[in-house]
Amino acid sequence: MQRIFKLTVLGAALCASFPALAQWSPEGGWMVRGRAVYLDFDNGQSSRLKQTLGAVAAPGTKAEADDRWIPEVDISYFFTRNIAAELVLTYPQRIHIDVGGRRAGTIKALPPSLLVQYHFTDLGAFKPYVGLGLNYTIFSGRSNISVLSGHHNVSVSKDSFGLVGQVGFDYALSRNWSINVDAKYVRMDTDVKVKGVGKIGSIDLDPWLLGVGIGYRF
């Protein structure tokens, strides 16, 4: 319930800001984009996690999430011709966790992000932008991980907050339609706990999201 409340507040804050900002916006408007995104995880490990997993599995063992393609939809509102806010959405994604090269389990992650962007609009059909914002990831199925065929049951934390950096561009095909290329870097980490032991370290997922798609502005 707390996680749902946090998401509701995040969305409400964005929506509540639109009417006030639109009053001084010379070129407001909405844009919706659909993207195919490659999710490339960093998979950094805390030293304690490496040591613990190495002790229960094999020397050098680590836990890591596999890279994957995901669908993404974002909704942008332009306060002016240059300033916009973007809400990035996808459905809960399955993240497979491998330990020492073997599948140890699967968790789900719902990672909406909210960003503020600056769009460069004096380059004709080519419209690059940069963005900065906040990601909030909800993890579910958090106990579906095990090491050594069921021994040493492992779980991860329920959520994660982190900064998001973004660069990309739209290329206008017409007044309404455009092609989009986008790259985001998300700070995303989760604590790892072993039943009966407690926290043994953390995984810094920190993914790059590299996307291409199409946008419609109205």
Side-chain angles (χ1 to χ4, degrees), residues 31-37 72 74 86 117 119 127 129 166-173 177-184 211-216:
M31 176 178 278
V32 178
R33 300 184 187 88
R35 299 188 183 111
V37 173
E72 182 183 284
D74 74 73
E86 179 181 77
Q117 302 170 325
H119 292 253
K127 301 181 186 300
Y129 58 84
Q166 178 187 45
V167 295
F169 69 85
D170 295 298
Y171 188 86
L173 301 176
W177 293 97
S178 61
I179 294 174
N180 176 256
V181 175
D182 184 87
K184 290 185 286 290
V212 60
I214 192 165
Y216 182 80

Side-chain angles (χ1 to χ4, degrees), residues 30 36 44 46-47 60 68 89-90 101 159 161 176 181 200 203 211:
W30 296 86
S46 68
S47 59
R68 58 180 48 241
L89 302 170
T90 186
D159 54 18
F161 281 97
N176 301 104
V181 175
I200 62 170
I203 303 176

Side-chain angles (χ1 to χ4, degrees), residues 113-132:
S113 296
L114 179 62
L115 302 101
V116 176
Q117 302 170 325
Y118 185 86
H119 292 253
F120 301 89
T121 57
D122 298 324
L123 300 172
F126 178 64
K127 301 181 186 300
Y129 58 84
V130 294
L132 182 67

Side-chain angles (χ1 to χ4, degrees), residues 30-112:
W30 296 86
M31 176 178 278
V32 178
R33 300 184 187 88
R35 299 188 183 111
V37 173
Y38 186 68
L39 193 60
D40 183 11
F41 289 104
D42 176 68
N43 286 321
Q45 317 276 305
S46 68
S47 59
R48 186 183 174 196
L49 177 60
K50 288 182 181 179
Q51 293 168 1
T52 304
L53 290 177
V56 300
T61 293
K62 62 179 182 178
E64 57 186 3
D66 61 344
D67 303 333
R68 58 180 48 241
W69 284 93
I70 66 171
E72 182 183 284
V73 174
D74 74 73
I75 303 170
S76 297
Y77 184 80
F78 285 78
F79 304 134
T80 72
R81 62 182 301 185
N82 301 109
I83 305 297
E86 179 181 77
L87 180 62
V88 181
L89 302 170
T90 186
Y91 63 87
Q93 298 297 319
R94 293 182 181 272
I95 299 179
H96 300 304
I97 302 293
D98 297 328
V99 176
R102 298 174 56 186
R103 182 59 42 83
T106 301
I107 60 177
K108 289 185 178 181
L110 179 62

